[in-house]
């Protein structure tokens, strides 16, 4: 499977060392392919299944939260991007699964990069490896212990030669059935 035209790499923001490693990898991939890096952030943290902090806010408070989070997002990742200008930001208010599929359909990204915080990390209400394997596009997980720990879902595995990863520097995500 080749990526017909790689126009952008998607990255879901997470303020952690694994999130920074994932951002660095996504940025490196974008530089090599000379494509856009789209940074996604959600009002409710997709890495925390218990976060429902935005659900019961008034419209005014929700607006303030959106402005605050977008400012924080841009300041943080603009700094990490350095001189790379092809970076877009999207603060998403819908749920992760639906929003990321919508963005994939309108081709805002063709590859998704996520920080792999720990083996028991959840993303979009699922264990992160299960999310990665069930997502329809290539997904790359970075971490949890080192920046050079790269995990690929089956779609990413098929295009591993386009990801600038030596064969011994990544692992395929294999879910073990109970």
């Amino acid at each position: 499977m080749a990526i017909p035209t790689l126009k952008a790499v998607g990255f879901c923001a997470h303020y952690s060392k694994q999130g920074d490693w994932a951002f660095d990898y996504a940025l490196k991939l974008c530089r090599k392919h000379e494509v856009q890096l789209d940074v996604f952030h959600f009002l409710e943290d997709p890495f925390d299944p218990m976060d429902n902090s935005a659900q019961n806010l008034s419209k005014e408070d929700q607006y303030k939260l959106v402005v605050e989070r977008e400012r924080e997002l841009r300041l943080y990742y603009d700094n990490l991007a350095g001189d790379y200008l092809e970076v877009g930001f999207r603060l998403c208010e819908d749920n992760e699964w639906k929003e990321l599929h919508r963005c994939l359909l309108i081709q805002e990204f063709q590859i998704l990069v996520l920080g792999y915080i720990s083996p028991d990390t959840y993303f979009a209400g699922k264990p992160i490896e299960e999310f990665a394997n069930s997502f329809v596009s290539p997904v790359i997980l970075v971490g949890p212990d080192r920046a050079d720990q790269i995990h690929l879902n089956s779609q990413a595995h098929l295009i591993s030669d386009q990801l600038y990863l030596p064969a011994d520097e990544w692992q395929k995500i294999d879910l073990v059935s109970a």
Side-chain angles (χ1 to χ4, degrees), residues 65-93:
L65 180 62
V66 167
V67 170
E68 176 187 318
R69 293 261 176 97
E70 187 164 353
R71 180 179 178 277
E72 177 183 86
L73 179 72
R74 288 176 181 272
L75 287 172
Y76 189 82
Y77 288 105
D78 267 344
N79 184 45
L80 290 181
D83 63 350
Y84 196 72
L85 300 177
E86 298 299 317
V87 181
F89 298 94
R90 183 171 190 157
L91 187 64
C92 307
E93 297 179 49

Side-chain angles (χ1 to χ4, degrees), residues 43-45 48-57:
L43 284 182
E44 293 178 354
D45 186 355
D48 180 359
M50 304 310 285
D51 183 6
N52 60 1
S53 58
Q55 284 184 4
N56 297 320
L57 296 177

Side-chain angles (χ1 to χ4, degrees), residues 6 9 23-37 78-87 164:
L6 179 60
V9 172
F23 180 84
D24 290 344
Y25 175 77
L27 182 62
K28 175 183 153 188
L29 191 58
C30 288
R31 286 181 188 274
K32 294 228 182 217
H33 283 283
E34 298 179 1
V35 297
Q36 172 89 13
L37 174 57
D78 267 344
N79 184 45
L80 290 181
D83 63 350
Y84 196 72
L85 300 177
E86 298 299 317
V87 181
Y164 298 99

Side-chain angles (χ1 to χ4, degrees), residues 136-169:
V136 297
S137 77
V139 176
I140 301 165
L141 304 178
V142 182
D145 302 315
R146 301 180 320 274
D148 64 350
Q149 271 183 304
I150 307 292
H151 307 269
L152 307 178
N153 72 351
S154 56
Q155 294 87 339
H157 172 255
L158 293 173
I159 59 160
S160 61
D161 59 322
Q162 297 175 52
L163 301 176
Y164 298 99
L165 296 168
D168 61 342
E169 288 190 13

